[in-house]
């Protein structure tokens, strides 16, 4: 099984799950998001946001692929690029942190460590930019019948499971934080090298023995 991370671009944007591809919950303020949905094509607004963020700030998401299949993604940006971030009761995000807007792992691939792999990919990217931490708003009651955000806010339990700590409690939307140096210390160099090796091999290479080439007979005139 091969796993790889790639950065979110206008091309890989099409590999997001369809509901997420058209969702502008984070990218627009509540009023603008409602107008975009009423107009009938919020996907255009999503594409415009990704394009502008890529041009002005750089990479704003990671996608995980398992055997070439899209298996999960995360999106992140400075809070100034995320109007919805100011609508939470536990805002604002700390000045030294980027906001991890949302995270999702396709159910068929859940439980395989992809969530932590995605977060670590974000940590590597942000560390290169001199950012010290990631913060996120979690949903402490994810999946409740009164859930009004439709899964756009990832479960608080997910963030806690990948190393985040609560910095501002709230019964519904706590704000959580992960120091990047913590995320980067999860794996030893040997483990990371092994994952890179396995990730570069195709499933056929892993499962099938290498067969020797057939011998050739020389002919004489």
């Amino acid at each position: 099984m091969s796993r790889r991370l790639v950065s979110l671009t206008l091309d890989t944007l099409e590999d997001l799950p369809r509901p997420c591809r058209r969702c502008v919950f984070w990218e627009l303020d509540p009023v603008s998001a409602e107008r975009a949905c009423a107009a009938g094509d919020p996907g255009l607004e999503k594409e415009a946001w990704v394009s502008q963020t890529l041009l002005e700030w750089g990479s704003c998401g990671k996608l995980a692929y398992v055997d070439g299949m899209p298996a999960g993604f995360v999106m992140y940006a400075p809070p100034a690029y995320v109007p919805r971030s100011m609508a939470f009761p536990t805002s604002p995000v700390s000045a030294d942190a980027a906001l991890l807007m949302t995270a999702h792992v396709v159910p068929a691939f859940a439980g395989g460590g992809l969530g932590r792999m995605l977060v670590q990919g974000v940590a590597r990217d942000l560390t290169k930019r001199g950012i010290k931490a990631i913060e996120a708003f979690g949903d402490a009651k994810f999946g409740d019948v009164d859930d009004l955000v439709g899964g756009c806010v990832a479960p608080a339990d997910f963030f806690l499971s990948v190393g985040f700590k609560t910095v501002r409690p709230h019964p519904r939307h706590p704000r959580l934080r992960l120091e990047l140096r913590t995320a980067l210390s999860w794996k030893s160099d040997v483990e990371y090298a092994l994952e890179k090796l396995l990730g570069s091999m195709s499933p056929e290479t892993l499962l099938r023995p290498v067969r020797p080439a057939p011998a050739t007979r020389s002919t004489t005139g």
Side-chain angles (χ1 to χ4, degrees):
M1 180 180 293
S2 65
R3 304 192 303 173
R4 64 188 179 96
L5 282 184
V6 303
S7 295
L8 179 68
T9 65
L10 292 179
D11 292 327
T12 56
L13 180 63
E14 300 306 320
D15 283 341
L16 296 185
R18 184 170 294 275
C20 302
R21 170 63 180 86
R22 293 173 50 81
C23 177
V24 289
F25 176 86
W26 290 101
E27 293 83 357
L28 301 177
D29 63 80
V31 174
S32 298
E34 187 174 342
R35 288 175 181 167
C37 292
D41 197 357
L44 289 176
E45 296 287 348
K46 181 92 163 190
E47 184 174 327
W49 183 90
V50 170
S51 179
Q52 180 181 2
T53 306
L54 284 169
L55 287 172
E56 296 180 357
W57 185 66
S59 179
C60 55
K62 297 287 183 186
L63 289 90
Y65 293 82
V66 176
D67 292 343
M69 296 285 292
F73 76 96
V74 291
M75 293 185 66
Y76 54 97
Y81 283 80
V82 190
R84 178 73 68 158
S85 67
M86 294 305 298
F88 285 82
T90 49
S91 64
V93 173
S94 302
D96 64 346
L99 175 65
L100 198 160
M101 300 151 56
T102 189
H104 176 75
V105 174
V106 175
F109 299 101
L114 286 182
R116 180 161 288 209
M117 178 182 174
L118 285 161
V119 171
Q120 191 173 45
V122 175
R124 289 196 188 102
D125 179 35
L126 294 180
T127 298
K128 295 175 184 176
R129 306 193 209 188
I131 296 174
K132 296 182 178 180
I134 319 169
E135 293 191 357
F137 299 103
D139 188 345
K141 299 182 180 180
F142 185 84
D144 278 12
V145 293
D146 62 340
D147 186 358
L148 300 178
V149 297
C152 298
V153 182
D157 286 345
F158 165 77
F159 292 117
L160 293 170
S161 73
V162 295
F164 281 72
K165 306 296 182 185
T166 302
V167 291
R168 189 168 178 190
H170 187 268
R172 186 61 191 258
H173 293 303
R175 178 158 52 89
L176 305 104
R177 179 180 174 97
L178 176 66
E179 302 295 334
L180 296 186
R181 63 177 180 271
T182 300
L184 293 175
S185 67
W186 282 335
K187 293 184 179 179
S188 69
D189 292 339
V190 173
E191 287 175 311
Y192 178 60
L194 178 60
E195 182 175 279
K196 280 191 68 176
L197 174 63
L198 293 176
S200 67
M201 299 175 69
S202 67
E204 291 78 12
T205 305
L206 291 172
L207 296 175
R208 298 177 183 171
V210 177
R211 296 181 179 178
T216 58
R217 290 191 298 175
S218 60
T219 59
T220 57

